[in-house]
Amino acid sequence: MTGVAAIIPAKDEGDRIGATVAAALVLPGVDLVVVVDDGSSDQTGRVAKAAGARVVRHSRNRGKAAAMESGAEAVRLLDGAESRHLLFLDADLGETARMAAPLIEPVAAGEADMTIAVFVTRVKLGGHGFVVKLAREGVQRIAGWTPDQPLNGQRCLTRAAFEAARPLARGFGVETGLTIDLLRKGFRVREVQVEMAHRATGTDWKAQLHRARQFRDVARALAARI
């Protein structure tokens, strides 16, 4: 059976990264966890290493797409004769990361090239769904498939699928671009329900700025693929 590497992009997640790594390490098939410390100013990298992860550090914040690519490259360098499947997880999942097994199963069985998580228990978010709507309608319009949770970053995919989608869309457009690019190239993409949850985005000005950046990056990813 092909092994699975969990890749966790992280910035200033020192309070949750240890629990996330510990949970990822017990997932069936996972024999490697790589945390990409994307310019953190806290102890994210140190905590992740203590929890059992291999740590790659960016000296400055380069964004999620760059962290995903750095993590995938680290896995490639550690792979043997057979390339591992890649499981991408958010750093703030905490112990709920142990519920990611359903994402791995269809890929490991050869039934899907990429799986996308659909959180069964939805956290009440502070936004109004504008970014999700933009991404969902954009994927449907361009690739002919309507995802339930198009921005979900919990994904498992084969190495071949990951390489086919490079270069990844920048910033917060990475998930939208990844989905469209793989669908257009004929890869099998499936959404899978999981009992996972991460930290909810708030309603303060920082959260609103975050959503504005998300909207901008998703719009850019869509515009580049029309």
Side-chain angles (χ1 to χ4, degrees):
M1 176 180 173
T2 301
V4 179
I7 299 172
I8 308 174
K11 183 179 187 300
D12 296 330
E13 291 287 355
D15 59 337
R16 291 201 181 195
I17 191 63
T20 303
V21 169
L25 282 167
V26 301
L27 286 167
V30 172
D31 58 2
L32 173 66
V33 174
V34 175
V35 169
V36 182
D37 181 358
D38 191 26
S40 296
S41 58
D42 66 359
Q43 298 299 308
T44 292
R46 183 174 298 178
V47 174
K49 184 176 181 180
R54 299 286 189 100
V55 177
V56 176
R57 176 167 172 78
H58 291 168
S59 59
R60 59 178 178 81
N61 180 245
R62 293 171 54 193
K64 188 173 184 180
M68 290 170 66
E69 292 193 335
S70 290
E73 178 62 16
V75 173
R76 188 189 67 79
L77 293 173
L78 293 168
D79 275 343
E82 191 170 11
S83 298
R84 292 176 172 90
H85 299 317
L86 306 177
L87 173 67
F88 290 97
L89 299 172
D90 288 346
D92 62 354
L93 291 169
E95 63 181 22
T96 72
R98 63 187 170 84
M99 305 302 290
L103 288 173
I104 300 171
E105 292 160 6
V107 176
E111 298 169 356
D113 301 301
M114 180 173 73
T115 54
I116 305 170
V118 172
F119 289 170
V120 176
T121 303
R122 304 205 185 193
V123 177
K124 176 64 176 176
L125 302 177
H128 302 287
F130 296 130
V131 186
V132 172
K133 184 174 185 291
L134 175 69
R136 180 183 293 127
E137 293 181 353
V139 173
Q140 196 285 324
R141 184 175 67 255
I142 296 172
W145 182 64
T146 307
D148 184 27
Q149 295 185 16
L151 301 179
N152 203 310
Q154 326 320 310
R155 300 174 179 227
C156 186
L157 63 164
T158 64
R159 168 62 71 168
F162 181 81
E163 294 299 331
R166 297 182 70 186
L168 302 180
R170 297 293 93 185
F172 297 111
V174 61
E175 289 88 5
T176 303
L178 184 58
T179 300
I180 292 171
D181 291 346
L182 291 186
L183 287 170
R184 278 180 155 178
K185 292 181 178 181
F187 287 89
R188 299 161 299 167
V189 179
R190 178 190 298 185
E191 287 189 309
V192 179
Q193 292 189 339
V194 294
E195 295 283 353
M196 302 164 76
H198 55 59
R199 183 188 298 112
T201 307
T203 57
D204 61 11
W205 70 270
K206 288 184 178 180
Q208 300 302 337
L209 180 59
H210 171 76
R211 290 189 189 91
R213 288 172 175 163
Q214 274 189 309
F215 192 94
R216 175 201 64 195
D217 290 351
V218 169
R220 285 176 175 173
L222 292 173
R225 287 161 174 80
I226 292 175

